[in-house]
Amino acid sequence: MSGIQYPLEGSCQCGNVRYQLLAPPLKVIACHCIACQKLSTSAFSITALIESDTLVLQGELAQWERLADSGNKNYAKFCPHCGNRIYHFNPDEPGLIKLKAASLNDTRVLKPEAHLWVSQKQAWYQIPDGVPQFSEQS
């Protein structure tokens, strides 16, 4: 997206965790699975897939872990003060981070390139024409 200057700044809700995104995301996706609806308290969660070396973090992070429906490990790093998730990762894929990018100060990069788990999507939400959709995980 033109006009976006990197690094981009971001933080948790309380500001105890701050970060810089040094480069554009590899991909931005919207996930409509029930777990992401609970995470976002909305119809879907937006994730920016980034290379791990493009994220610079400051502040204390706590960790939460679960197995995804797909069997993949889904670990989350979050602020222990306000509970805001900063990113997810799979320890079996150490070079990639799934940044919860709504915490960026400049959210213009958050235009989803694909929608996952549309089999669980809220019926009232209409995915824009031309954006790839996948019934489950792509």
Side-chain angles (χ1 to χ4, degrees):
M1 178 170 280
S2 65
I4 296 177
Q5 299 293 315
Y6 290 87
L8 294 178
E9 306 283 330
S11 69
C12 64
Q13 286 181 303
C14 72
N16 281 314
V17 175
R18 297 188 179 283
Y19 67 87
Q20 288 186 323
L21 178 60
L22 304 178
L26 302 171
K27 182 178 263 194
V28 176
I29 60 163
C31 183
H32 296 264
C33 76
I34 299 301
C36 280
Q37 290 179 41
K38 288 181 179 183
L39 163 67
S40 66
T41 68
S42 188
F44 54 86
S45 177
I46 297 177
T47 299
L49 183 64
I50 63 171
E51 294 176 345
S52 58
D53 62 357
T54 65
L55 186 66
V56 178
L57 289 155
Q58 295 177 324
E60 175 189 4
L61 290 170
Q63 184 168 304
W64 179 80
E65 304 170 7
R66 75 173 177 90
L67 283 179
D69 291 341
S70 64
N72 289 330
K73 295 173 187 167
N74 189 15
Y75 291 15
K77 292 287 190 175
F78 63 94
C79 174
H81 301 282
C82 67
N84 205 193
R85 289 201 198 172
I86 303 300
Y87 67 89
H88 290 196
F89 69 102
N90 180 340
D92 297 333
E93 298 174 349
L96 297 175
I97 288 177
K98 301 165 194 159
L99 182 66
K100 304 316 288 177
S103 59
L104 285 165
N105 296 344
D106 181 350
T107 57
R108 291 180 291 163
V109 300
L110 297 185
K111 185 175 179 185
E113 301 167 47
H115 288 255
L116 307 179
W117 284 98
V118 296
S119 60
Q120 297 179 2
K121 139 183 134 41
Q122 294 290 319
W124 54 263
Y125 180 75
Q126 299 299 312
I127 295 172
D129 290 339
V131 180
Q133 308 178 35
F134 301 91
S135 179
E136 295 181 353
Q137 191 81 22
S138 67

